[in-house]
Coordinates of all heavy atoms in Angstrom, one line a residue:
M1 N 37.8 2.2 -0.9 CA 36.8 1.2 -0.4 C 37.6 -0.1 -0.1 O 38.6 -0.4 -0.8 CB 35.8 1.0 -1.5 CG 36.4 0.6 -2.9 SD 35.1 0.5 -4.2 CE 34.2 -0.9 -3.7
I2 N 37.1 -0.9 0.8 CA 37.7 -2.1 1.2 C 37.1 -3.2 0.4 O 35.9 -3.4 0.4 CB 37.6 -2.3 2.7 CG1 38.1 -1.2 3.5 CG2 38.3 -3.7 3.1 CD1 39.6 -0.9 3.3
V3 N 38.0 -4.0 -0.2 CA 37.5 -5.2 -1.0 C 38.2 -6.5 -0.3 O 39.3 -6.3 0.3 CB 37.8 -5.1 -2.5 CG1 37.0 -3.9 -3.1 CG2 39.3 -5.0 -2.8
R4 N 37.6 -7.6 -0.7 CA 38.2 -8.8 -0.2 C 38.7 -9.7 -1.3 O 38.0 -9.8 -2.3 CB 37.1 -9.6 0.6 CG 37.7 -10.8 1.3 CD 36.7 -11.5 2.2 NE 36.3 -10.5 3.3 CZ 36.9 -10.4 4.5 NH1 38.0 -11.2 4.6 NH2 36.6 -9.6 5.4
C5 N 39.9 -10.1 -1.2 CA 40.6 -10.9 -2.2 C 39.8 -12.2 -2.5 O 39.5 -12.9 -1.5 CB 42.0 -11.2 -2.0 SG 42.8 -12.2 -3.1
G6 N 39.5 -12.5 -3.7 CA 38.8 -13.8 -4.0 C 39.7 -15.0 -3.9 O 39.1 -16.1 -3.9
R7 N 40.9 -14.9 -3.7 CA 41.8 -16.0 -3.7 C 42.2 -16.3 -2.2 O 42.0 -17.4 -1.8 CB 43.0 -15.8 -4.5 CG 44.0 -17.0 -4.6 CD 45.1 -16.7 -5.5 NE 46.0 -17.8 -5.7 CZ 45.9 -18.9 -6.5 NH1 44.8 -18.9 -7.3 NH2 46.7 -19.8 -6.5
C8 N 42.7 -15.3 -1.6 CA 43.3 -15.5 -0.2 C 42.4 -15.0 0.8 O 42.6 -15.4 2.0 CB 44.7 -15.0 -0.1 SG 44.7 -13.1 -0.1
G9 N 41.5 -14.1 0.4 CA 40.5 -13.7 1.4 C 40.9 -12.5 2.2 O 40.2 -12.1 3.1
S10 N 42.1 -11.9 1.9 CA 42.5 -10.8 2.7 C 41.9 -9.5 2.2 O 41.7 -9.3 0.9 CB 44.1 -10.7 2.6 OG 44.4 -10.5 1.3
G11 N 41.6 -8.6 3.1 CA 41.0 -7.3 2.7 C 42.0 -6.3 2.4 O 43.0 -6.2 3.2
F12 N 41.8 -5.5 1.4 CA 42.7 -4.4 1.1 C 41.9 -3.2 0.5 O 40.9 -3.4 0.0 CB 43.9 -4.8 0.2 CG 43.3 -5.4 -1.1 CD1 43.3 -4.6 -2.2 CD2 43.0 -6.7 -1.2 CE1 42.9 -5.2 -3.5 CE2 42.5 -7.3 -2.4 CZ 42.5 -6.5 -3.6
D13 N 42.6 -2.1 0.6 CA 41.9 -0.8 0.2 C 42.2 -0.4 -1.2 O 43.4 -0.6 -1.7 CB 42.3 0.3 1.2 CG 41.5 1.6 0.9 OD1 40.4 1.5 0.4 OD2 41.9 2.7 1.3
V14 N 41.1 -0.1 -2.0 CA 41.3 0.3 -3.3 C 40.7 1.7 -3.5 O 39.8 2.0 -2.8 CB 40.7 -0.7 -4.3 CG1 41.4 -2.1 -4.2 CG2 39.2 -0.9 -4.1
P15 N 41.2 2.5 -4.5 CA 40.6 3.8 -4.7 C 39.2 3.8 -5.2 O 38.5 4.8 -5.1 CB 41.6 4.5 -5.7 CG 42.3 3.3 -6.4 CD 42.4 2.2 -5.4
G16 N 38.8 2.7 -5.9 CA 37.5 2.7 -6.5 C 37.3 1.4 -7.4 O 38.2 0.5 -7.4
P17 N 36.2 1.4 -8.2 CA 35.9 0.2 -9.0 C 37.0 0.1 -10.1 O 37.6 1.0 -10.5 CB 34.6 0.6 -9.7 CG 34.0 1.6 -8.8 CD 35.1 2.3 -8.1
G18 N 37.3 -1.2 -10.5 CA 38.3 -1.5 -11.5 C 39.0 -2.8 -11.1 O 38.4 -3.6 -10.3
R19 N 40.1 -3.0 -11.7 CA 40.8 -4.3 -11.5 C 42.1 -4.0 -10.6 O 42.9 -3.1 -11.0 CB 41.3 -5.0 -12.8 CG 40.1 -5.6 -13.4 CD 40.4 -6.4 -14.7 NE 41.1 -5.6 -15.7 CZ 41.5 -6.3 -16.9 NH1 41.4 -7.5 -17.1 NH2 42.1 -5.6 -17.8
H20 N 42.2 -4.6 -9.4 CA 43.2 -4.3 -8.5 C 43.9 -5.6 -8.1 O 43.2 -6.6 -7.8 CB 42.7 -3.5 -7.3 CG 42.0 -2.2 -7.7 ND1 42.7 -1.0 -8.0 CD2 40.7 -2.0 -7.9 CE1 41.8 -0.1 -8.4 NE2 40.6 -0.7 -8.3
A21 N 45.2 -5.6 -8.0 CA 45.9 -6.8 -7.6 C 46.0 -6.8 -6.1 O 46.2 -5.8 -5.4 CB 47.4 -6.8 -8.2
C22 N 45.8 -8.0 -5.5 CA 45.9 -8.2 -4.1 C 47.3 -8.0 -3.6 O 48.3 -8.6 -4.2 CB 45.4 -9.6 -3.7 SG 45.6 -10.1 -2.0
P23 N 47.6 -7.2 -2.6 CA 49.0 -7.0 -2.2 C 49.5 -8.2 -1.5 O 50.7 -8.3 -1.2 CB 48.8 -5.8 -1.2 CG 47.4 -5.9 -0.8 CD 46.6 -6.4 -1.9
N24 N 48.7 -9.1 -1.1 CA 49.1 -10.3 -0.3 C 49.6 -11.4 -1.2 O 50.6 -12.0 -1.1 CB 47.9 -10.8 0.6 CG 48.4 -11.8 1.5 OD1 49.5 -11.9 2.0 ND2 47.6 -12.8 1.8
C25 N 48.6 -11.7 -2.3 CA 49.0 -12.9 -3.1 C 49.1 -12.5 -4.6 O 49.6 -13.3 -5.4 CB 47.9 -14.0 -3.0 SG 46.3 -13.5 -3.7
G26 N 48.8 -11.2 -4.9 CA 49.0 -10.8 -6.3 C 47.8 -11.0 -7.2 O 47.9 -10.8 -8.5
T27 N 46.8 -11.7 -6.8 CA 45.7 -12.0 -7.6 C 44.9 -10.7 -8.0 O 44.6 -9.9 -7.1 CB 44.7 -13.0 -6.9 OG1 45.4 -14.2 -6.6 CG2 43.5 -13.3 -7.8
V28 N 44.6 -10.6 -9.2 CA 43.9 -9.4 -9.7 C 42.4 -9.7 -9.4 O 41.8 -10.6 -9.9 CB 44.1 -9.1 -11.2 CG1 43.2 -7.9 -11.6 CG2 45.6 -8.9 -11.5
N29 N 41.8 -8.7 -8.6 CA 40.4 -8.8 -8.3 C 39.6 -7.7 -9.1 O 40.0 -6.5 -9.0 CB 40.2 -8.6 -6.8 CG 40.8 -9.8 -6.0 OD1 40.1 -10.7 -5.6 ND2 42.1 -9.7 -5.7
E30 N 38.6 -8.1 -9.7 CA 37.8 -7.1 -10.4 C 36.7 -6.6 -9.5 O 35.9 -7.3 -8.9 CB 37.1 -7.8 -11.6 CG 36.3 -6.8 -12.5 CD 35.9 -7.4 -13.8 OE1 36.2 -8.5 -14.1 OE2 35.2 -6.7 -14.5
V31 N 36.8 -5.3 -9.2 CA 36.0 -4.6 -8.2 C 34.9 -3.8 -9.0 O 35.2 -2.9 -9.8 CB 36.8 -3.7 -7.3 CG1 35.9 -3.0 -6.3 CG2 37.9 -4.4 -6.7
G32 N 33.6 -4.1 -8.7 CA 32.6 -3.4 -9.3 C 32.0 -2.3 -8.5 O 32.4 -2.2 -7.2
A33 N 31.1 -1.5 -9.0 CA 30.6 -0.4 -8.2 C 29.7 -0.9 -7.1 O 29.6 -0.4 -6.0 CB 29.9 0.6 -9.1
A34 N 29.0 -1.9 -7.4 CA 28.0 -2.5 -6.5 C 28.5 -3.9 -6.0 O 27.7 -4.7 -5.6 CB 26.6 -2.7 -7.1
S35 N 29.8 -4.0 -5.9 CA 30.4 -5.3 -5.4 C 30.5 -5.2 -3.9 O 30.6 -4.2 -3.3 CB 31.7 -5.5 -6.1 OG 32.2 -6.7 -5.6
G36 N 30.6 -6.4 -3.3 CA 30.9 -6.5 -1.9 C 29.6 -6.5 -1.2 O 28.5 -6.4 -1.7
P37 N 29.7 -6.8 0.1 CA 28.5 -6.9 0.9 C 27.9 -5.5 1.2 O 28.6 -4.5 1.5 CB 29.1 -7.4 2.3 CG 30.5 -7.0 2.4 CD 30.9 -7.1 0.9
I38 N 26.7 -5.5 0.9 CA 25.8 -4.2 1.0 C 25.0 -4.3 2.2 O 24.1 -5.2 2.3 CB 25.1 -3.9 -0.2 CG1 26.0 -3.9 -1.4 CG2 24.3 -2.6 -0.1 CD1 25.2 -3.7 -2.8
S39 N 25.1 -3.4 3.2 CA 24.3 -3.5 4.4 C 23.1 -2.6 4.2 O 22.8 -1.8 5.1 CB 25.2 -2.9 5.6 OG 25.6 -1.7 5.4
T40 N 22.4 -2.8 3.1 CA 21.2 -2.0 2.9 C 20.0 -3.0 2.9 O 20.0 -3.9 2.1 CB 21.2 -1.2 1.7 OG1 22.4 -0.4 1.6 CG2 20.0 -0.4 1.4
A41 N 19.0 -2.8 3.7 CA 17.8 -3.6 3.8 C 17.0 -3.4 2.6 O 16.9 -2.3 2.1 CB 17.0 -3.2 5.0
P42 N 16.4 -4.5 2.1 CA 15.6 -4.4 0.9 C 14.3 -3.7 1.2 O 13.9 -3.6 2.4 CB 15.3 -5.9 0.5 CG 15.4 -6.7 1.9 CD 16.5 -5.9 2.6
P43 N 13.7 -3.0 0.2 CA 12.5 -2.3 0.5 C 11.3 -3.2 0.9 O 11.2 -4.3 0.5 CB 12.2 -1.6 -0.8 CG 12.9 -2.5 -1.9 CD 14.1 -3.0 -1.2
P44 N 10.5 -2.7 1.7 CA 9.4 -3.6 2.2 C 8.4 -3.8 1.0 O 8.3 -3.0 0.2 CB 8.7 -2.7 3.3 CG 9.1 -1.2 2.9 CD 10.5 -1.4 2.3
P45 N 7.8 -5.0 1.1 CA 6.8 -5.3 0.1 C 5.7 -4.3 0.1 O 5.3 -3.7 1.1 CB 6.3 -6.8 0.5 CG 6.5 -6.8 1.9 CD 7.7 -5.9 2.3
P46 N 4.9 -4.2 -1.1 CA 3.8 -3.2 -1.1 C 2.7 -3.8 -0.3 O 2.4 -5.0 -0.2 CB 3.4 -3.3 -2.6 CG 4.0 -4.6 -3.2 CD 5.2 -4.8 -2.3
V47 N 2.0 -2.8 0.3 CA 0.9 -3.2 1.2 C -0.3 -3.5 0.4 O -0.7 -2.7 -0.4 CB 0.6 -2.0 2.2 CG1 -0.6 -2.4 3.1 CG2 1.8 -1.7 3.0
Q48 N -0.9 -4.7 0.6 CA -2.1 -5.1 -0.1 C -3.2 -4.4 0.5 O -3.5 -4.4 1.8 CB -2.2 -6.6 -0.2 CG -1.0 -7.2 -0.9 CD -1.2 -8.8 -1.0 OE1 -2.1 -9.3 -0.3 NE2 -0.3 -9.4 -1.7
E49 N -4.1 -3.9 -0.4 CA -5.3 -3.3 0.3 C -6.4 -4.3 0.5 O -6.8 -5.0 -0.4 CB -5.9 -2.2 -0.8 CG -7.0 -1.4 -0.3 CD -7.4 -0.4 -1.2 OE1 -6.8 -0.2 -2.2 OE2 -8.4 0.4 -1.0
D50 N -6.7 -4.4 1.8 CA -7.7 -5.4 2.2 C -9.1 -4.7 2.2 O -9.2 -3.5 2.5 CB -7.4 -5.9 3.6 CG -6.1 -6.6 3.6 OD1 -5.8 -7.3 2.5 OD2 -5.4 -6.7 4.6
P51 N -10.1 -5.5 1.9 CA -11.5 -5.0 1.9 C -12.0 -4.8 3.3 O -13.0 -5.4 3.6 CB -12.3 -6.0 1.1 CG -11.6 -7.3 1.3 CD -10.1 -6.9 1.4
S52 N -11.3 -4.0 4.1 CA -11.7 -3.9 5.5 C -12.7 -2.7 5.6 O -12.7 -1.8 4.8 CB -10.5 -3.5 6.3 OG -9.6 -4.6 6.3
P53 N -13.6 -2.9 6.5 CA -14.7 -1.8 6.6 C -14.0 -0.5 7.2 O -13.0 -0.5 7.9 CB -15.6 -2.4 7.7 CG -14.8 -3.4 8.4 CD -13.8 -3.9 7.4
R54 N -14.6 0.6 6.8 CA -14.1 1.9 7.2 C -15.2 2.6 8.1 O -16.4 2.6 7.7 CB -13.8 2.8 5.9 CG -13.3 4.2 6.2 CD -13.1 5.0 5.0 NE -12.0 4.5 4.3 CZ -10.8 5.0 4.3 NH1 -10.6 5.9 5.2 NH2 -9.8 4.5 3.6
V55 N -14.7 3.1 9.1 CA -15.7 3.8 10.1 C -15.2 5.2 10.3 O -14.1 5.5 10.1 CB -15.8 3.0 11.4 CG1 -16.4 1.6 11.2 CG2 -14.5 2.9 12.1
S56 N -16.1 6.0 10.8 CA -15.8 7.4 11.2 C -16.0 7.6 12.6 O -17.0 7.2 13.2 CB -16.7 8.4 10.4 OG -16.5 8.2 9.0
C57 N -15.0 8.2 13.2 CA -15.1 8.5 14.6 C -16.2 9.4 14.9 O -16.3 10.5 14.3 CB -13.8 9.0 15.2 SG -13.7 9.4 16.9
A58 N -17.0 9.2 15.9 CA -18.1 10.0 16.3 C -17.7 11.2 17.1 O -18.3 12.2 17.2 CB -19.2 9.2 17.1
N59 N -16.4 11.1 17.6 CA -15.9 12.2 18.4 C -15.2 13.3 17.6 O -15.5 14.5 17.8 CB -15.0 11.7 19.5 CG -14.5 12.7 20.5 OD1 -15.3 13.6 20.8 ND2 -13.3 12.6 21.0
C60 N -14.3 12.9 16.8 CA -13.5 13.8 16.0 C -13.8 13.7 14.5 O -13.3 14.5 13.7 CB -12.0 13.6 16.3 SG -11.3 12.1 15.6
G61 N -14.5 12.7 14.1 CA -14.8 12.6 12.6 C -13.8 11.9 11.8 O -13.9 11.9 10.6
F62 N -12.7 11.4 12.4 CA -11.6 10.8 11.7 C -12.0 9.5 11.1 O -12.6 8.6 11.8 CB -10.4 10.6 12.7 CG -9.2 10.1 12.0 CD1 -8.4 11.0 11.2 CD2 -8.8 8.7 12.0 CE1 -7.2 10.5 10.5 CE2 -7.7 8.3 11.4 CZ -6.9 9.2 10.6
S63 N -11.8 9.3 9.8 CA -12.2 8.0 9.1 C -11.0 7.2 9.0 O -9.9 7.6 8.6 CB -12.7 8.4 7.8 OG -13.1 7.2 7.1
F64 N -11.2 5.9 9.4 CA -10.1 5.0 9.4 C -10.6 3.6 9.1 O -11.8 3.3 9.4 CB -9.3 5.0 10.7 CG -10.1 4.7 11.9 CD1 -10.1 3.5 12.4 CD2 -10.9 5.7 12.5 CE1 -10.8 3.2 13.6 CE2 -11.6 5.4 13.6 CZ -11.6 4.2 14.2
I65 N -9.7 2.7 8.6 CA -10.1 1.3 8.3 C -9.9 0.5 9.5 O -8.8 0.6 10.2 CB -9.3 0.8 7.1 CG1 -9.6 1.7 5.9 CG2 -9.5 -0.6 6.8 CD1 -8.7 1.4 4.7
V66 N -10.8 -0.4 9.8 CA -10.7 -1.3 10.9 C -10.7 -2.7 10.4 O -11.1 -3.0 9.3 CB -11.8 -1.0 11.9 CG1 -11.7 0.4 12.4 CG2 -13.1 -1.3 11.3
G67 N -10.4 -3.7 11.3 CA -10.4 -5.0 11.0 C -11.7 -5.6 11.4 O -12.7 -4.9 11.7
K68 N -11.7 -7.0 11.6 CA -12.9 -7.6 12.0 C -13.0 -7.6 13.5 O -12.8 -8.5 14.3 CB -12.9 -9.1 11.5 CG -13.1 -9.1 10.0 CD -13.2 -10.6 9.5 CE -13.4 -10.7 8.0 NZ -13.5 -12.1 7.6
V69 N -13.3 -6.5 14.1 CA -13.5 -6.3 15.5 C -14.8 -5.5 15.8 O -15.3 -4.8 14.9 CB -12.4 -5.5 16.1 CG1 -11.1 -6.3 15.9 CG2 -12.2 -4.1 15.5
E70 N -15.3 -5.7 16.9 CA -16.6 -5.0 17.3 C -16.4 -3.5 17.6 O -17.1 -2.6 17.1 CB -17.2 -5.7 18.4 CG -17.7 -7.1 18.1 CD -18.3 -7.8 19.3 OE1 -18.4 -7.1 20.4 OE2 -18.8 -8.9 19.2
V71 N -15.3 -3.3 18.3 CA -15.0 -1.9 18.7 C -13.5 -1.6 18.5 O -12.7 -2.4 18.8 CB -15.3 -1.6 20.2 CG1 -15.0 -0.2 20.6 CG2 -16.8 -1.9 20.5
A72 N -13.2 -0.5 17.8 CA -11.8 -0.1 17.5 C -11.6 1.2 18.0 O -12.4 2.1 17.8 CB -11.6 -0.2 16.0
P73 N -10.4 1.4 18.7 CA -10.1 2.7 19.1 C -9.6 3.7 18.0 O -8.9 3.3 17.1 CB -8.9 2.4 20.1 CG -8.3 1.3 19.6 CD -9.4 0.4 19.0
C74 N -10.1 4.9 18.1 CA -9.8 5.9 17.0 C -8.3 6.2 17.1 O -7.9 6.6 18.2 CB -10.6 7.1 17.2 SG -10.1 8.5 16.1
P75 N -7.6 6.1 16.0 CA -6.1 6.4 16.1 C -5.8 7.8 16.2 O -4.6 8.3 16.4 CB -5.7 5.9 14.7 CG -6.9 5.9 13.8 CD -8.0 5.6 14.7
N76 N -6.8 8.7 16.1 CA -6.6 10.1 16.2 C -6.9 10.6 17.6 O -6.1 11.4 18.1 CB -7.6 10.8 15.2 CG -7.2 12.3 15.1 OD1 -6.1 12.7 15.0 ND2 -8.3 13.1 15.0
C77 N -8.0 10.2 18.2 CA -8.3 10.7 19.5 C -8.4 9.6 20.6 O -8.4 9.8 21.8 CB -9.6 11.5 19.5 SG -11.0 10.6 19.2
G78 N -8.5 8.3 20.1 CA -8.5 7.2 21.1 C -9.9 6.8 21.5 O -10.1 5.9 22.3
T79 N -10.9 7.5 21.0 CA -12.3 7.2 21.4 C -12.7 5.8 20.8 O -12.4 5.6 19.6 CB -13.2 8.2 20.9 OG1 -12.9 9.5 21.5 CG2 -14.7 7.9 21.2
P80 N -13.2 4.9 21.6 CA -13.7 3.6 21.0 C -14.8 3.7 20.1 O -15.9 4.3 20.4 CB -14.0 2.8 22.2 CG -14.3 3.8 23.3 CD -13.4 5.0 23.0
V81 N -14.6 3.3 18.8 CA -15.7 3.4 17.8 C -16.3 2.0 17.5 O -15.6 1.1 17.3 CB -15.1 4.0 16.5 CG1 -16.2 4.2 15.4 CG2 -14.4 5.3 16.8
T82 N -17.5 2.0 17.6 CA -18.3 0.8 17.3 C -18.3 0.5 15.8 O -18.7 1.3 15.0 CB -19.7 0.8 17.8 OG1 -19.6 1.1 19.2 CG2 -20.4 -0.5 17.6
V83 N -17.7 -0.7 15.4 CA -17.6 -1.0 14.0 C -18.9 -1.7 13.6 O -19.5 -1.3 12.6 CB -16.4 -1.9 13.8 CG1 -16.4 -2.3 12.3 CG2 -15.1 -1.3 14.2
G84 N -19.3 -2.7 14.3 CA -20.6 -3.4 14.1 C -20.5 -4.3 12.9 O -21.3 -4.2 11.9
V85 N -19.5 -5.2 12.9 CA -19.3 -6.0 11.7 C -20.2 -7.3 11.9 O -20.4 -7.9 10.9 CB -17.8 -6.5 11.6 CG1 -16.9 -5.4 11.2 CG2 -17.4 -7.2 12.8
T86 N -20.7 -7.5 13.1 CA -21.5 -8.6 13.4 C -22.9 -8.4 12.7 O -23.4 -7.2 12.6 CB -21.7 -8.8 14.9 OG1 -22.2 -7.6 15.5 CG2 -20.4 -9.2 15.5
E87 N -23.5 -9.4 12.3 CA -24.8 -9.3 11.6 C -25.9 -8.9 12.6 O -26.0 -9.6 13.6 CB -25.2 -10.7 10.8 CG -24.2 -11.0 9.7 CD -24.6 -12.3 9.1 OE1 -25.5 -13.0 9.6 OE2 -23.9 -12.7 8.1
E88 N -26.6 -7.9 12.2 CA -27.6 -7.4 13.1 C -28.9 -7.9 12.7 O -29.4 -7.8 11.5 CB -27.7 -5.9 13.1 CG -26.4 -5.3 13.7 CD -26.4 -3.7 13.7 OE1 -27.4 -3.3 13.1 OE2 -25.5 -3.1 14.1
G89 N -29.6 -8.6 13.6 CA -31.0 -9.2 13.2 C -32.1 -8.2 13.7 O -32.0 -7.6 14.7
D90 N -33.1 -8.1 12.9 CA -34.2 -7.2 13.2 C -35.2 -8.0 14.0 O -35.9 -8.8 13.6 CB -34.9 -6.8 11.9 CG -35.9 -5.7 12.1 OD1 -36.0 -5.2 13.3 OD2 -36.5 -5.3 11.2
G91 N -35.2 -7.7 15.3 CA -36.1 -8.3 16.1 C -35.5 -8.8 17.3 O -35.7 -9.7 18.0
Ligands
ZN101 ZN1 44.9 -12.3 -2.2
ZN102 ZN1 -11.6 10.2 17.0

């Protein structure tokens, strides 16, 4: 694994974690297992469950959650499903 000297900044190869002396300046660098730059993206945050209305597709019967929209396309077959979040007045 390649580590970078904390004194002179030169990179050199080491067999693994431990204490290794820099071949350039002689400074002993302590190399950890999880040391150095890690190019791993952090895990995504947990998805919060929103109290969104759930509708069922009239074509294929697929049930899915929709937002505040009047008509949402079915993610299964693409048929526009009327959500009807607007208040319906009788009369
Ligand atoms: Zn060095
Ligand atoms: Zn559908």
Side-chain angles (χ1 to χ4, degrees):
M1 57 187 292
I2 304 297
V3 297
R4 188 173 294 275
C5 176
R7 184 178 180 86
C8 69
S10 64
F12 56 97
D13 189 19
V14 298
R19 289 191 293 180
H20 304 279
C22 172
N24 187 36
C25 68
T27 299
V28 177
N29 293 266
E30 187 169 354
V31 181
S35 180
I38 303 174
S39 62
T40 303
V47 178
Q48 296 181 352
E49 185 176 356
D50 295 329
S52 299
R54 179 184 290 268
V55 297
S56 298
C57 177
N59 187 34
C60 69
F62 185 80
S63 180
F64 59 98
I65 298 175
V66 298
K68 291 183 179 180
V69 294
E70 294 181 359
V71 178
C74 173
N76 191 38
C77 68
T79 300
V81 181
T82 302
V83 179
V85 293
T86 57
E87 295 181 355
E88 295 180 356
D90 188 7

